[in-house]
Amino acid sequence: MKIKSKVSIALMLVVSLVGFMLAVQYNSLNHQPAERDTRDIWAIRNEIAEQKQAQSELLKEIRDMDHTLYTYERAKSEDPEMALIETVDDLKKRAGFTSLTGPGIEIEIQPSPESIALGLPIETIPADLLTRFINDVNRMSGLIIEIDSKRYTILSAIRDINGVTTVNGLNVKNPPFTIKIVTETFEDSEKVYNYLLASPLHDDFYIDNLIIDIHEPSEQIELNGWTERVDMMYLQQLPKGDN
């Protein structure tokens, strides 16, 4: 009887221990996140940097709007019509409707020497590659861009239409073609220049038999204004005399 009693107690202890271990394991599984973040520290740091850049650009836009509003409010008491004209002109410049000249750089997209030596056909730059280049450059704030003489603004779209890459609905010619970037200061142009020299996008372009030829910064880079018609779907001009 004593042996049976000891065996029974041992079995109960084993069962209790197994049950306890299963409970601990179940509890730990329930507290694990549904999806683990497997990115390395640099990927996380890059995402944080992008979010901070976006926040900085939004704050700059708010400051610019506040300055425009302040200027208009101050001037409208003296000359309301002139204040309105100056405000409209300033908004046109920001939206890219006017030509401008300033410090910046020129980037020439060319066929790679190997593709020329092998006699490969020169094809249009892929729309996704051009979009990736523009997005990468736009990490820096305050840039004004022109692609193959086509002004790139917040209204612009880069698309593939029947196998041809377009900007603002206009065809981008086969390489070589030029991308111009104007910055706020010459120092900013140097930053963009150095950034592009070390950009990993060179490898992406080379895969598509293209190279990026980055010219040194210049004090005078001229950009064209937006030449396309803007459709006002919901805005209507009131007759004179109406409020």
Side-chain angles (χ1 to χ4, degrees):
M1 293 293 295
K2 291 183 179 180
I3 295 176
K4 290 183 178 181
S5 177
K6 290 181 179 179
V7 172
S8 299
I9 294 172
L11 288 174
M12 291 176 62
L13 289 174
V14 170
V15 171
S16 299
L17 180 60
V18 171
F20 175 75
M21 293 176 65
L22 289 173
V24 170
Q25 185 178 8
Y26 176 78
N27 188 50
S28 64
L29 287 174
N30 280 344
H31 285 82
Q32 287 183 352
E35 183 178 349
R36 296 181 60 188
D37 193 339
T38 58
R39 296 174 298 173
D40 59 25
I41 186 65
W42 289 109
I44 296 174
R45 286 169 64 91
N46 286 337
E47 183 173 345
I48 293 174
E50 290 177 3
Q51 294 298 327
K52 286 185 176 181
Q53 180 66 35
Q55 183 182 22
S56 175
E57 291 176 1
L58 288 174
L59 290 175
K60 183 179 183 301
E61 288 293 331
I62 292 173
R63 287 195 297 268
D64 290 343
M65 292 299 178
D66 286 341
H67 177 71
T68 299
L69 182 61
Y70 171 76
T71 302
Y72 179 70
E73 290 291 340
R74 186 181 63 179
K76 73 177 182 180
S77 59
E78 303 173 359
D79 191 343
E81 183 177 355
M82 181 58 64
L84 182 59
I85 291 174
E86 291 178 354
T87 301
V88 171
D89 289 342
D90 182 57
L91 292 175
K92 283 184 177 180
K93 290 179 181 178
R94 295 185 189 180
F97 287 95
T98 58
S99 301
L100 61 88
T101 301
I105 61 174
E106 291 189 11
I107 302 126
E108 194 167 1
I109 308 301
Q110 302 177 351
S112 66
E114 291 79 6
S115 65
I116 296 176
L118 294 174
L120 299 177
I122 301 175
E123 299 178 348
T124 183
I125 181 174
D128 60 341
L129 180 59
L130 182 57
T131 300
R132 192 155 67 248
F133 176 84
I134 296 300
N135 289 342
D136 192 58
V137 170
N138 270 332
R139 292 184 179 186
M140 301 183 182
S141 60
L143 304 185
I144 306 173
I145 302 173
E146 178 186 289
I147 305 171
D148 188 25
S149 301
K150 303 164 185 60
R151 188 71 168 269
Y152 184 85
T153 71
I154 57 174
L155 300 175
S156 298
I158 299 175
R159 295 192 177 96
D160 183 307
I161 300 179
N162 296 326
V164 178
T165 297
T166 64
V167 175
N168 305 332
L170 302 175
N171 292 355
V172 176
K173 68 181 181 182
N174 291 354
F177 66 87
T178 302
I179 298 175
K180 297 181 181 180
I181 300 176
V182 167
T183 61
E184 295 179 351
T185 65
F186 185 77
E187 288 75 17
D188 291 336
S189 299
E190 292 178 323
K191 291 179 182 178
V192 176
Y193 173 77
N194 292 326
Y195 175 78
L196 288 176
L197 284 180
S199 174
L201 283 173
H202 288 274
D203 295 333
D204 296 330
F205 274 75
Y206 196 74
I207 291 174
D208 283 297
N209 297 318
L210 298 171
I211 60 172
I212 309 173
D213 184 13
I214 308 166
H215 298 186
E216 292 188 358
S218 171
E219 290 282 4
Q220 297 291 321
I221 297 293
E222 185 176 355
L223 300 187
N224 299 319
W226 177 283
T227 57
E228 302 306 302
R229 181 175 178 270
V230 178
D231 294 326
M232 302 298 183
M233 296 178 61
Y234 304 106
L235 297 179
Q236 295 181 355
Q237 183 176 358
L238 293 174
K240 293 183 177 180
D242 290 350
N243 295 324

